[in-house]
Amino acid sequence: MPLPRDSADVPSQTDDLLYSDYRKTEELHTLREVARALAAETSAASVLSTLCDLSMVQGSASGAAVAQIHADSGLYVATSGRALALMGMSFPLAGTFTGRVAAEHRTLALESPASSTPFFAALLPSLGVGPIMLIPLLANQQLFGVLSVVRDIGHPVFDAQDEERLGVLADLAALALWKARLLEDAQSADAAKTSLLATLSHELRTPLAALEGYSELLEDQILGPLSDEQRDVVVRLRTVGRHLGALIEDILTYASLEADRVSLREGPVRLPELFDSLHPFLEPLAREKGLELEFDIEASLPQLHTDEARVRQILLNLCQNAIKFTEHGRVQLKASRGSATLGSTQPTVRLAVKDTGIGIAAADLSRLFRPFSQLADVQSRRHRGTGLGLYISRRLAGMLGGRIEVVSRPGEGSVFTLVLPMPPGN
C-alpha cells in the first residue's frame, strides 16, 4: 500500500505546474515574435542579419555568424557580436565542423574551438570565442547555410534546451530565406523580362520608322503616280504601321515605368492642336469600321501646362480601345471644364472618350487597369492587344497629377475620362 503524500508537497507541485505553464506561454510568445520578425524581412541579406541578432538573444550568446556554403569553401555573409570580424571571410571547408554540419545536415555543439582546424583553433580564441553551436539552415531540402552561435570563453556550453530553441529559430529563418530567394528570383526574372521588352521595342523602332518613311513617299506620289486602288493599299499600310508603332510605344513605356525611368517634359499644350495630332491615327481606324469620330472642345478652355506627349499617348490608348470595342455608332472625344478635385481648390479639365460599344460589366471594372489583363468576354475575344494600354494610361495620368474615371454598362457603351489639373488662375 502506497504511503500517503505529504500535504506540504501540494503547494510546491502546484507552483511548479504554474511556473511550467508560464514558461511555455512565454516561449510561445517569444516564438511568435521571432516568426513575425523573420517574416517581415523581404531580402535574404536582411533575413540573415535578423537571424544573427535573434540567435544571440535566444542562445544567450555573445556572437553569431552565417556561412554560405560553396563546393569546397565557406563564406561568412552575416555576422553579429563577437563574430563581426568574420564578415566577408572565406575559408576552406575540408576538415571544418562547418563543412561537417553542411554535409550531414545535423547540429553540432563544441566545448571550445580548440578541436577545430588549426585556422579556426587560432582565430576564434583570439576573438574571445568559447563554446560554439553550429546549425544547418534547411528548408524544402535546400541548404541555405550554416549558423554558428558562440559564447565567450569560460561560459557554459550549449545544452539540449539551447539546441531546441536555436533549432526552431534556424528552421524559421530557413523558411524565410526560401521565401526571400523565391521573391528575389521572381524580381530578377521580371527585371530581365522588362529589359528584353525594352531592347526588342527599341530594335523594332528603326525598321518601323523606315517603313513609315517609304509609305509616306508612296502616298505623296513622289516616286510616281498611283492608281486609286494602289493609294488605298498604301493608306492602309500606313494605318497598320501607326498602330504597330503605338503598340511598340506602349511596350517601351511599360518597361520604363517598371524601371522608374519615365520623366515628364511639361510645357504649354493647346487642346485644338493636340486633338488635330490624334486625327491621323484614329480617323482611318474609325472609317474602316464605319464609325463616326467626333472631336469636341468646350469654348474658352485655356491651354494646359503638362506633358503633351504623355497626354497624347493616354488619349490614343483610350480612343483606340473605344474604336476596337465599338461595332456600330460613334466614338467621341470631348474636352470640357471640370470642378475641383477632392481636397483641392484647383479646377480641372475633363477629356472624355465616349463610345457606343459593348460596355463593361461591373464585376470586370476592377480588372481593367491590371497589366497584361484582358476581359474574357466572348464577344471581345477577337479584339487582341498587349493588355497594357489602360495600365499605362492610369500610371501616366497619376504622374501628370490626374486620374482616369470609368462609367460603363454592358450593351450601353463606356466613358473613359482623363481628368487633369488646370493651370492656376483659370
Side-chain angles (χ1 to χ4, degrees):
M1 182 177 177
L3 295 173
R5 180 178 296 172
D6 189 343
S7 60
D9 292 339
V10 176
S12 176
Q13 292 173 354
T14 303
D15 289 344
D16 288 345
L17 288 173
L18 289 174
Y19 180 71
S20 177
D21 289 343
Y22 168 77
R23 286 293 302 273
K24 288 180 180 178
T25 301
E26 187 179 34
E27 287 179 1
L28 284 174
H29 174 73
T30 301
L31 187 61
R32 282 196 295 267
E33 293 299 316
V34 166
R36 289 194 189 101
L38 289 170
E41 305 297 348
T42 56
S43 70
S46 58
V47 170
L48 292 175
S49 177
T50 300
L51 169 61
C52 287
D53 292 339
L54 291 173
S55 296
M56 290 177 59
V57 176
Q58 292 300 306
S60 300
S62 57
V66 174
Q68 198 173 71
I69 306 303
H70 301 286
D72 56 0
S73 65
L75 174 68
Y76 286 110
V77 293
T79 58
S80 63
R82 288 235 183 245
L84 279 174
L86 300 177
M87 185 64 182
M89 182 181 294
S90 179
F91 59 94
L93 280 180
T96 65
F97 287 106
T98 299
R100 182 177 166 185
V101 169
E104 299 177 2
H105 291 182
R106 67 185 183 91
T107 298
L108 287 178
L110 308 177
E111 291 186 12
S112 73
S115 57
S116 185
T117 60
F119 174 77
F120 282 111
L123 173 66
L124 298 182
S126 69
L127 299 177
V129 172
I132 308 171
M133 178 164 280
L134 300 100
I135 309 165
L137 299 176
L138 289 165
N140 293 297
Q141 308 304 316
Q142 295 183 52
L143 178 70
F144 292 96
V146 174
L147 169 66
S148 299
V149 186
V150 303
R151 287 174 177 167
D152 289 343
I153 296 174
H155 281 236
V157 297
F158 291 93
D159 59 22
Q161 288 185 341
D162 294 321
E163 181 176 346
E164 183 178 357
R165 282 197 302 271
L166 291 171
V168 171
L169 175 58
D171 288 343
L172 289 172
L175 287 172
L177 282 170
W178 180 69
K179 181 198 74 171
R181 293 282 169 83
L182 287 178
L183 179 60
E184 289 171 356
D185 289 345
Q187 290 172 338
S188 178
D190 193 55
K193 176 194 69 178
T194 301
S195 177
L196 177 62
L197 287 174
T199 300
L200 288 176
S201 299
H202 277 294
E203 292 299 320
L204 287 171
R205 264 182 167 179
T206 301
L208 185 63
L211 287 174
E212 177 71 13
Y214 291 137
S215 299
E216 187 175 353
L217 289 175
L218 291 173
E219 186 178 1
D220 294 342
Q221 304 188 59
I222 293 176
L223 302 178
L226 300 175
S227 65
D228 291 342
E229 292 81 3
Q230 290 171 329
R231 184 178 178 83
D232 183 60
V233 170
V234 172
V235 170
R236 289 175 181 270
L237 178 63
R238 293 196 69 186
T239 300
V240 172
R242 289 192 184 104
H243 178 63
L244 180 58
L247 292 178
I248 291 174
E249 192 62 38
D250 278 350
I251 295 173
L252 277 173
T253 303
Y254 170 78
S256 297
L257 285 169
E258 294 302 293
D260 292 324
R261 289 199 301 261
V262 174
S263 57
L264 299 180
R265 298 180 180 178
E266 297 184 344
V269 178
R270 301 179 186 276
L271 288 175
E273 295 175 5
L274 174 62
F275 279 28
D276 286 344
S277 70
L278 300 174
H279 194 269
F281 292 88
L282 302 176
E283 193 276 332
L285 298 176
R287 186 176 69 247
E288 185 177 348
K289 298 188 70 173
L291 303 175
E292 295 181 40
L293 181 64
E294 299 180 5
F295 290 168
D296 183 15
I297 301 178
E298 185 180 290
S300 72
L301 271 182
Q303 67 179 15
L304 303 178
H305 187 82
T306 186
D307 188 320
E308 182 173 358
R310 297 306 181 185
V311 175
R312 182 185 297 108
Q313 187 174 3
I314 295 172
L315 293 179
L316 275 175
N317 278 327
L318 298 182
C319 290
Q320 286 171 346
N321 268 359
I323 294 171
K324 184 190 301 184
F325 294 101
T326 302
E327 299 301 325
H328 308 286
R330 66 186 180 123
V331 172
Q332 181 191 51
L333 172 58
K334 182 176 181 179
S336 60
R337 188 182 295 267
S339 58
T341 58
L342 183 64
S344 172
T345 58
Q346 189 176 9
T348 58
V349 171
R350 300 177 64 83
L351 305 171
V353 178
K354 182 178 181 181
D355 64 59
T356 56
I358 60 176
I360 305 166
D364 291 327
L365 289 175
S366 62
R367 296 193 292 119
L368 277 178
F369 296 96
R370 296 177 186 171
F372 302 106
S373 176
Q374 293 179 324
L375 303 185
D377 189 278
V378 175
Q379 285 183 285
S380 64
R381 285 187 185 272
R382 63 191 182 90
H383 303 295
R384 295 299 182 183
T386 61
L388 292 173
L390 290 177
Y391 169 77
I392 289 171
S393 297
R394 185 181 66 173
R395 288 282 302 270
L396 292 178
M399 292 180 66
L400 296 171
R403 66 182 186 277
I404 293 179
E405 298 175 352
V406 186
V407 177
S408 185
R409 289 190 181 88
E412 298 181 16
S414 306
V415 182
F416 285 77
T417 304
L418 171 61
V419 182
L420 293 174
M422 193 178 292
N426 292 279

